[in-house]
Amino acid sequence: MDDVSRPSAFRFLKLTIGYDGTAFAGWQEQPGLRTVQNELASAWRRITGETPRLTASGRTDAGVHALGQVVSLCTSSERPEGELARGLNAVLPEDIVVLAIDPAVQGFHATHDALSKTYRYQIHDSRTPPLFDRRYVWHVRQPLDIERMGRAGGGLIGRHDFVSFQTAGSQRTSTVRTILAVEVTRLASRVDITVTGDGFLYNMVRAIAGTLVEVGRGARDPEWVAEALSARDRAAAGPNAPALGLVLVSVRYAQGSDE
């Protein structure tokens, strides 16, 4: 989304936002579709009169949620950060919330300056369907063995070519990424797969989740995940998990990216 001509005096801001992705066609502006970027830009225009250039840490897909999406922009508005946050929350739809607005260093870029991101994939493993969180979890109708899933996830840690876990449709100069941590935890019928990495390919976390579920339900051995990674073939890994269970939890930046 293009901005108006840059004013002579401007400052960079770092917005941290959360959203329920259920009713959105993803983050990125798309003509005729409801997106997070469109709604946030519209709200910014209402309270400042500016047409902003909004850059997110990553373009979440349709149905994907966020607890800590980071957005950068520059503005000529002199309104304090807290006042801007309150103004945005007053006019935004109820499925987007501005959690914080902080001053950022000149040139701060939410995508390029990110050091790592943490995603969580949420599963309800029970014969009984979920009720209150049904829009935020993948319902798997059998108990999952999280110990096996955790062992399998360990085979993904490190710097590897993750082409086996990338869905076609996004052009990348490299499919090599570094996974820093994979953790599988349970609370009652809720299983969470938490993945932290320096970057992710298109649908990569959903492919990891779908693959680990194959291990958790006993269809595959834990060692299969490392074999699928080495195959460098999308057909060698498991299916993509549905979008509704995926949440962007947080994005980490170098100290000094905001002030």
Side-chain angles (χ1 to χ4, degrees):
M1 182 175 295
D2 294 332
D3 57 347
V4 293
S5 57
R6 178 170 289 180
S8 57
F10 63 91
R11 58 185 172 138
F12 282 81
L13 296 177
K14 173 187 174 187
L15 283 64
T16 304
I17 68 171
Y19 46 86
D20 176 341
T22 304
F24 289 107
W27 157 264
Q28 189 175 7
E29 177 186 17
Q30 300 177 61
L33 296 177
R34 184 172 187 256
T35 70
V36 180
Q37 186 179 25
N38 277 346
E39 294 286 1
L40 186 58
S42 176
W44 188 269
R45 282 193 297 270
R46 286 183 63 181
I47 68 168
T48 68
E50 298 175 333
T51 297
R53 183 180 181 87
L54 303 173
T55 302
S57 68
R59 299 173 179 177
T60 54
D61 292 332
V64 175
H65 316 289
L67 290 174
Q69 174 71 281
V70 174
V71 179
S72 56
L73 62 81
C74 68
T75 179
S76 61
S77 174
E78 297 180 353
R79 295 172 67 175
E81 289 82 10
E83 183 179 320
L84 287 169
R86 290 190 294 273
L88 288 170
N89 284 329
V91 299
L92 280 167
E94 62 183 2
D95 46 4
I96 306 177
V97 174
V98 175
L99 302 170
I101 299 181
D102 298 297
V105 297
Q106 292 292 99
F108 172 65
H109 194 287
T111 308
H112 297 159
D113 293 342
L115 297 180
S116 67
K117 299 176 188 176
T118 297
Y119 283 90
R120 183 171 66 232
Y121 195 89
Q122 303 172 162
I123 301 164
H124 179 89
D125 67 333
S126 170
R127 291 185 178 181
T128 304
L131 177 57
F132 295 111
D133 58 350
R134 63 190 181 278
R135 298 192 299 179
Y136 314 109
V137 296
W138 177 19
H139 181 206
V140 176
R141 291 176 168 78
Q142 67 184 93
L144 299 174
D145 186 328
I146 67 167
E147 189 275 331
R148 285 168 53 90
M149 294 169 69
R151 281 198 287 130
L156 300 173
I157 295 174
R159 190 161 184 82
H160 307 287
D161 186 340
F162 282 93
V163 70
S164 293
F165 295 87
Q166 174 185 247
T167 300
S170 178
Q171 298 297 319
R172 301 281 185 170
T173 57
S174 172
T175 51
V176 174
R177 297 291 185 273
T178 301
I179 294 298
L180 303 170
V182 179
E183 184 178 12
V184 183
T185 56
R186 173 186 293 282
L187 179 61
S189 294
R190 166 81 172 265
V191 173
D192 288 346
I193 301 169
T194 306
V195 184
T196 299
D198 66 354
F200 294 91
L201 304 172
Y202 184 47
N203 283 338
M204 180 172 159
V205 180
R206 290 170 58 189
I208 290 173
T211 300
L212 294 185
V213 164
E214 291 294 287
V215 174
R217 67 186 186 88
R220 297 280 192 165
D221 293 327
E223 294 73 24
W224 166 66
V225 176
E227 294 169 3
L229 178 66
S230 298
R232 299 180 63 190
D233 180 356
R234 181 65 189 91
N240 284 350
L244 82 169
L246 185 59
V247 181
L248 172 58
V249 176
S250 62
V251 187
R252 185 172 68 90
Y253 294 90
Q255 187 173 7
S257 289
D258 50 70
E259 298 177 323

